[in-house]
Amino acid sequence: MSIDHKPEATRGRRWGVPALGLAIGVGYIAIFMVRHEPGMAATGFTVMAVYVLILVMASRRSEAAALLRGEATDERRHAINQRASAFTMNVLVLVLLTGFVTELIRGHSGHLLDVLCGVSGVIYIAATIFFSRRG
């Protein structure tokens, strides 16, 4: 199955992650200014702006940076992206379950973690059903 992207379609995806990163930085400014924390506002925006700058500059020479920027332009890059996403999901579920059990051992309810574990389980089951039927 070949993935054929037109240059104009790829261009929009190329700038999606940097634009989202800067929007999150502006969100940090708004949130922390409302909380009267200008230092955190500046720090939050600076961190996001530097991240975006590194992605944009490094994506020309680094495939990893290009993937983080959203440039999954061929089958190999899509496969890398899928494997990284699956690995991330597995690690997050492990962290959630470990946190839940730890909270129970400490005598706490662990309610937030059990909700997150439940949501991740339901999403995994639904995605499995959807993708197994989709082909």
Side-chain angles (χ1 to χ4, degrees), residues 52-107:
V52 166
L53 182 64
I54 289 171
L55 281 185
V56 169
M57 298 303 289
S59 66
R60 296 177 187 153
R61 296 180 183 253
S62 166
E63 184 174 35
L67 282 165
L68 290 172
R69 188 176 174 183
E71 295 180 20
T73 54
D74 59 17
E75 292 88 354
R76 182 176 171 279
R77 285 185 173 187
H78 278 279
I80 292 168
N81 196 17
Q82 285 181 331
R83 289 195 328 243
S85 296
F87 180 78
T88 301
M89 189 275 305
N90 287 330
V91 170
L92 285 175
V93 167
L94 180 63
V95 168
L96 286 173
L97 290 172
T98 302
F100 176 65
V101 171
T102 302
E103 286 296 299
L104 292 179
I105 290 170
R106 291 181 177 174

Side-chain angles (χ1 to χ4, degrees), residues 10 14 20 30 39 47 50 53-54 61 68 71 84 94 124 131:
T10 305
R14 230 179 126 181
L20 179 62
V47 166
V50 167
L53 182 64
I54 289 171
R61 296 180 183 253
L68 290 172
E71 295 180 20
L94 180 63
Y124 182 77
F131 288 117

Side-chain angles (χ1 to χ4, degrees), residues 8 10 31 34 36-37 44 48 50 57 59 65-66 72 80 85 97 104 110-112 115 119 123 128 131:
E8 58 273 3
T10 305
I31 290 168
V34 167
H36 304 291
E37 298 180 41
M48 293 309 297
V50 167
M57 298 303 289
S59 66
I80 292 168
S85 296
L97 290 172
L104 292 179
H111 179 66
L112 176 62
V115 169
V119 167
I123 290 172
T128 301
F131 288 117

Side-chain angles (χ1 to χ4, degrees), residues 4-16 70 73:
D4 187 22
H5 291 291
K6 296 178 181 169
E8 58 273 3
T10 305
R11 188 177 310 121
R13 291 186 190 136
R14 230 179 126 181
W15 291 101
T73 54

